[in-house]
Amino acid sequence: MRIEFATRGNRIGRVGRLMSSKTPSLCRTGVASVLVSMGLAISIGTGAIADDHLSGDITMIKGPHSADEHRFEQMIIDDFADVAPNVSVNFTTYDWANMNAQLTTGFASGNPADVLYLVDLIYPNYIEGRALHDMSALVADPDWAGERAAIAPFAWDLATSDEGVWGVPVLGAVYNIFINKDLLEAAGVADTWQNSYADMLDAAKKTTAGDVYGFAARTRTADFAFWDWLPYVHNAGADLLNDDWSGCGLAGAGAATQHLIDLHQAGVTPAVGSMGTQEPFDLFKAGKIAILHGETPQINELLANPPAFDWDVAMAPPGEKGQTVMGNFGILSIAEASENKDAAWAFIQHWASGPQVGRFAEQVSLQVVREDIVGDLFADNPAMSKIQTEFVPRVKGIQPHPQILKVLQSIWPVAEEAYRGNLTGEETIGKMCEIIDGIVG
Amino acid sequence: MNSGNRIAEAEHRRLKASYKRRRNIVALIFLLPNLVFFLGFLLLPVISLFWQTFHDGGVLSPMRFVGLENWRKTFADPLVLTTIRNTIVYSLIAIPAVFLLAMIVALAMRTAQHGRSFFKAVIYFPTLQPVLIAALMWTFVLHPDFGALNLVIRIFTGEPVNFLGDPNLALPTIAMVEVWKGLGFWALLFFAGLAALPTEIFQAAELDGAGPVRRFFQHALPLMKPTFFFSVIFATIVNLQLFDSVFVLTDGGPSNATATATWYVYRSLFTFNEPGFGATLAFVLVAVVLVLTAVQTILLKGGGK
């Protein structure tokens, strides 16, 4: 099963247009963000029809996409009070690095959160364990048909398996490259670095000088370093699993992996294993890295504190079989053990609505999977606008196999070895395939 | 007289048996609270865990009998061997190092004439640190770019040392952090052991012309054998369960160089949601601990003879 992220047109609904007209910019400052959000909240709140029949307490759990996650979620919850005034929503977070442990513990307790934001890396596991409520009947409600149609079909495919619909797709997260245009121009490679892997390596070498690194990508398992490796794999026409998910699908990714090994062996990167996610980004902000693999939420940091150089977002150079971008997707699910599924469903409908999810996506710099609001988002944020319009159609996600997290975390130590120069690209893929076949074979 | 004596003996035996019975009942009553905890929080979970080794699921999905599949996977998984090897290597680094340093500190404290209480408090501070705080502190010491230690190293070598990112250095670095954390505890334990030794023997040895080194090796060390016996067994059991600093500092990396047995148990149970496999790993760890403890007990007791 191959999952492609492709927008299908730019149908803009009434609510989407309303939101875009009242959403002047991505929140450049906290004050602006609050004012804009308050304005939206008023416009959304006054238009809602309150449902007095719903009552009780529900809990939502989600990984944070921003340091202001609780504040942004509270805006959504406050607006929900107009929709269901008798429902109280408690919001809590899990941390990304230990999300599986924390969510599993919640399910094992028999009292998990009612509404769960789950990413494609882990939710297949919970679907297999039947910990999630089958929402087929809920999403098929004729009254919600318009909303359902606004969400891209590929996203519904992600949330559908084993003859059930296990959540409402809401967000996408793209892994982009940040470039320091000044450094690339000074090295004379600004127009060529993205032509091929060889040009990328050449640019990294030419921009490396003193304490400036030409290239940096994450290297550690704990930092989900595989996200920065996967676009090169996909560009080679390979994937983690084969077509029927019965074994390794990495054949053909040797040369792409060798490219990353070469980069790490060329003396143009920080020492392998020495940095996590934030440290290289801090170096980038200080003008010390020319080409950096990162994530779109980091764009907010660059906008809030503009660096003293020109920067842009980019994707990895094309490979043998194409030029893809790595992306994750998040769905909102209801726990099977929830005792207030009606209220949970009402809150998910509210959260996934165009104005709410659109505002949140702009606040945290993430992508949406609703096609009706895509065109109006990020109007004053060229980087995010570029990602939404140029990158998102090229996004290729992971295969949502129940053991995909185990696959990724088990094979990554092999890549770490390779980045240190102890394995060739082909040897790396061979060892990874042994591990993958042992897990899913 | 004889008849009277016989009756008295029988009565004595009855009274003795009654006394023993009463004494055992009293002892059992006092032991009962601990027995409840032992059964409820140790024996029953261990039995349940053993039962789990023959099953799959049980957390998200219903438990399913899989026979010896988990045991087969455990012995087929190369990472299991890696984690056991890492755990033993770590213990071989950390235990001798902390014992040596703790003994030096304990001797220094025993010899010190002034500030002994202050020194004892200071040396115990690291043991009181939460692991997360300790890990953050050491990150600021060891980091290749901004770590304090690396700033000093750069002055002399020009190149930073990637302590936690280099597979050859990561495990010894974790051991160093653990030694730092445990030093206060072991130093105070050894200090208490030294303080309990009879001073007459050392005075006599000194009068006979024995120097400090000879007094330590020929008198203090042999007399502290019970303390060492406890320490070696206890330290082995504790160190073979190394988890928290690995979890916080390296999460098993780089390249599984710091992947320990307990870390893999946690990862299997919670991250990969494989309770049966995790339970089997836990049992393997228990077996390794038991075997090593038994070997140490035999060796140490043999040494005593």
Side-chain angles (χ1 to χ4, degrees):
Chain A
M1 179 181 168
R2 175 168 293 181
I3 294 130
E4 302 283 356
F5 189 138
T7 51
R8 303 185 183 193
N10 281 328
R11 297 194 305 271
I12 302 167
R14 186 185 62 79
V15 180
R17 284 193 294 273
L18 171 69
M19 185 193 68
S20 70
S21 66
K22 290 182 181 291
T23 310
S25 67
L26 180 74
C27 320
R28 289 177 186 273
T29 67
V31 174
S33 168
V34 172
L35 291 174
V36 169
S37 304
M38 284 174 65
L40 267 172
I42 292 163
S43 69
I44 297 162
T46 50
I49 300 167
D51 187 342
D52 294 332
H53 300 297
L54 296 171
S55 63
D57 297 338
I58 59 169
T59 300
M60 178 188 178
I61 191 165
K62 179 180 175 298
H65 283 112
S66 158
D68 283 330
E69 181 76 33
H70 279 266
R71 189 164 62 84
F72 297 153
E73 291 293 341
Q74 194 56 49
M75 292 175 183
I76 298 174
I77 292 168
D78 289 346
D79 292 345
F80 186 58
D82 295 333
V83 178
N86 299 324
V87 176
S88 172
V89 182
N90 305 306
F91 178 74
T92 186
T93 55
Y94 52 76
D95 66 290
W96 294 111
N98 300 300
M99 55 184 163
N100 234 2
Q102 291 169 17
L103 290 166
T104 301
T105 306
F107 283 120
S109 74
N111 187 30
D114 301 272
V115 178
L116 308 104
Y117 178 87
L118 302 172
V119 290
D120 48 13
L121 195 59
I122 57 167
Y123 66 66
N125 183 34
Y126 298 119
I127 293 172
E128 188 182 51
R130 292 294 183 266
L132 306 179
H133 181 59
D134 182 0
M135 297 169 69
S136 301
L138 298 174
V139 301
D141 183 351
D143 290 343
W144 201 64
E147 291 288 285
R148 178 181 172 127
I151 296 171
F154 82 88
W156 282 116
D157 289 345
L158 278 171
T160 306
S161 69
D162 295 348
E163 298 174 356
V165 179
W166 307 97
V168 174
V170 282
L171 293 171
V174 165
Y175 298 89
N176 61 286
I177 287 175
F178 291 101
I179 54 167
N180 181 323
K181 291 170 76 174
D182 289 1
L183 285 175
L184 292 173
E185 279 170 16
V189 292
D191 298 327
T192 58
W193 77 270
Q194 208 180 5
N195 290 345
S196 68
Y197 292 157
D199 288 321
M200 187 188 209
L201 178 59
D202 180 55
K205 286 178 179 173
K206 285 180 175 165
T207 49
T208 299
D211 59 354
V212 174
Y213 299 109
F215 176 86
R218 286 170 288 192
T219 58
R220 305 188 307 202
T221 313
D223 300 304
F224 298 91
F226 32 79
W227 298 141
D228 298 345
W229 165 71
L230 278 168
Y232 300 89
V233 171
H234 292 155
N235 287 353
D239 211 333
L240 292 164
L241 308 178
N242 57 15
D243 288 341
D244 61 1
W245 294 5
S246 61
C248 180
L250 286 171
T257 305
Q258 186 63 52
H259 164 62
L260 287 166
I261 295 169
D262 293 342
L263 276 164
H264 284 93
Q265 287 299 300
V268 300
T269 65
V272 176
S274 66
M275 294 189 188
T277 301
Q278 188 60 35
E279 295 131 318
F281 187 66
D282 288 339
L283 285 178
F284 178 81
K285 287 190 292 185
K288 304 289 185 186
I289 293 179
I291 304 167
L292 170 72
H293 273 274
E295 303 176 1
T296 56
Q298 293 171 322
I299 290 172
N300 276 357
E301 284 190 53
L302 293 171
L303 294 175
N305 296 294
F309 56 85
D310 278 346
W311 60 275
D312 199 359
V313 291
M315 58 185 91
E320 299 161 35
K321 299 285 175 67
Q323 189 174 24
T324 66
V325 178
M326 185 61 212
N328 283 134
F329 304 95
I331 64 172
L332 287 176
S333 299
I334 300 174
E336 186 61 50
S338 170
E339 293 179 350
N340 202 347
K341 292 188 178 72
D342 289 340
W345 169 233
F347 186 64
I348 288 177
Q349 288 176 275
H350 171 74
W351 209 104
S353 64
Q356 298 295 339
V357 75
R359 177 181 62 191
F360 183 80
E362 286 199 321
Q363 285 168 332
V364 299
S365 285
L366 284 177
Q367 288 67 56
V368 294
V369 292
R370 287 184 69 112
E371 295 175 331
D372 58 339
I373 60 173
V374 163
D376 284 348
L377 291 178
F378 311 113
D380 294 329
N381 184 345
M384 277 304 294
S385 180
K386 182 177 179 182
I387 283 174
Q388 187 74 56
T389 55
E390 294 178 28
F391 289 33
V392 168
R394 291 175 178 271
V395 164
K396 185 168 167 57
I398 56 164
Q399 295 151 305
H401 186 282
Q403 289 186 295
I404 203 70
L405 176 65
K406 183 174 183 180
V407 165
L408 285 164
Q409 294 201 332
S410 300
I411 63 171
W412 195 251
V414 180
E416 286 186 73
E417 275 294 298
Y419 283 4
R420 289 191 172 83
N422 298 327
L423 297 169
T424 65
E426 289 300 336
E427 288 169 345
T428 306
I429 296 304
K431 284 199 167 196
M432 285 179 167
C433 278
E434 279 179 29
I435 294 169
I436 292 172
D437 289 338
I439 294 172
V440 302
Chain B
M1 283 292 286
N2 288 342
S3 171
N5 282 342
R6 279 199 294 276
I7 292 167
E9 280 176 9
E11 181 68 7
H12 179 259
R13 279 198 298 275
R14 190 187 65 77
L15 287 171
K16 189 179 175 184
S18 170
Y19 169 72
K20 274 189 175 177
R21 197 165 50 247
R22 279 203 315 275
R23 198 176 60 172
N24 288 341
I25 289 170
V26 169
L28 280 172
I29 288 171
F30 276 107
L31 283 172
L32 198 58
N34 191 43
L35 197 64
V36 168
F37 280 99
F38 178 78
L39 286 173
F41 293 97
L42 190 67
L43 195 62
L44 289 178
V46 166
I47 292 169
S48 167
L49 199 72
F50 186 64
W51 179 251
Q52 182 82 50
T53 65
F54 303 106
H55 293 79
D56 193 14
V59 178
L60 293 177
S61 52
M63 203 180 270
R64 186 171 59 92
F65 182 74
V66 293
L68 294 172
E69 177 61 16
N70 288 323
W71 290 92
R72 187 199 64 76
K73 277 170 64 181
T74 299
F75 291 110
D77 186 347
L79 188 53
V80 173
L81 200 61
T82 303
T83 58
I84 291 173
R85 191 183 61 230
N86 286 346
T87 308
I88 292 174
V89 169
Y90 159 80
S91 299
L92 291 175
I93 297 170
I95 295 174
V98 78
F99 278 14
L100 180 68
L101 290 171
M103 182 52 79
I104 291 170
V105 171
L107 286 168
M109 283 196 292
R110 192 162 191 269
T111 319
Q113 299 297 316
H114 304 288
R116 189 183 289 175
S117 298
F118 173 76
F119 194 51
K120 275 194 279 189
V122 168
I123 201 74
Y124 205 73
F125 275 164
T127 307
L128 299 174
Q129 294 298 319
V131 177
L132 198 63
I133 303 291
L136 279 173
M137 279 172 50
W138 279 101
T139 300
F140 283 105
V141 173
L142 301 171
H143 196 280
D145 269 354
F146 55 76
L149 184 58
N150 261 314
L151 292 178
V152 177
I153 290 172
R154 277 186 206 214
I155 292 170
F156 294 103
T157 66
E159 287 294 322
V161 178
N162 193 1
F163 286 103
L164 291 168
D166 185 328
N168 297 317
L169 293 176
L171 196 61
T173 304
I174 295 271
M176 183 190 70
V177 172
E178 286 292 322
V179 165
W180 173 80
K181 258 185 77 65
L183 183 61
F185 172 81
W186 293 110
L188 286 189
L189 189 81
F190 291 163
F191 175 76
L194 286 170
L197 297 180
T199 52
E200 300 84 0
I201 295 172
F202 296 99
Q203 288 165 352
E206 196 173 356
L207 285 172
D208 287 344
V213 175
R214 193 171 167 191
R215 288 204 300 275
F216 174 72
F217 281 106
Q218 288 200 339
H219 298 92
L221 273 185
L223 287 169
M224 282 189 68
K225 193 167 175 291
T227 306
F228 279 126
F229 185 80
F230 161 78
S231 302
V232 169
I233 302 289
F234 183 68
T236 303
I237 292 170
V238 168
N239 282 286
L240 287 177
Q241 296 174 48
L242 174 70
F243 171 73
D244 41 14
S245 53
V246 166
F247 184 67
V248 175
L249 284 170
T250 59
D251 199 22
S255 305
N256 291 328
T258 60
T260 59
T262 311
W263 172 85
Y264 198 30
V265 169
Y266 169 86
R267 173 166 276 205
S268 300
L269 282 172
F270 293 104
T271 307
F272 297 156
N273 189 29
E274 294 180 332
F277 183 58
T280 314
L281 286 175
F283 252 86
V284 170
L285 178 63
V286 168
V288 170
V289 170
L290 282 176
V291 168
L292 285 177
T293 307
V295 168
Q296 286 173 340
T297 306
I298 292 165
L299 288 176
L300 288 169
K301 276 188 175 170
K305 284 173 188 171

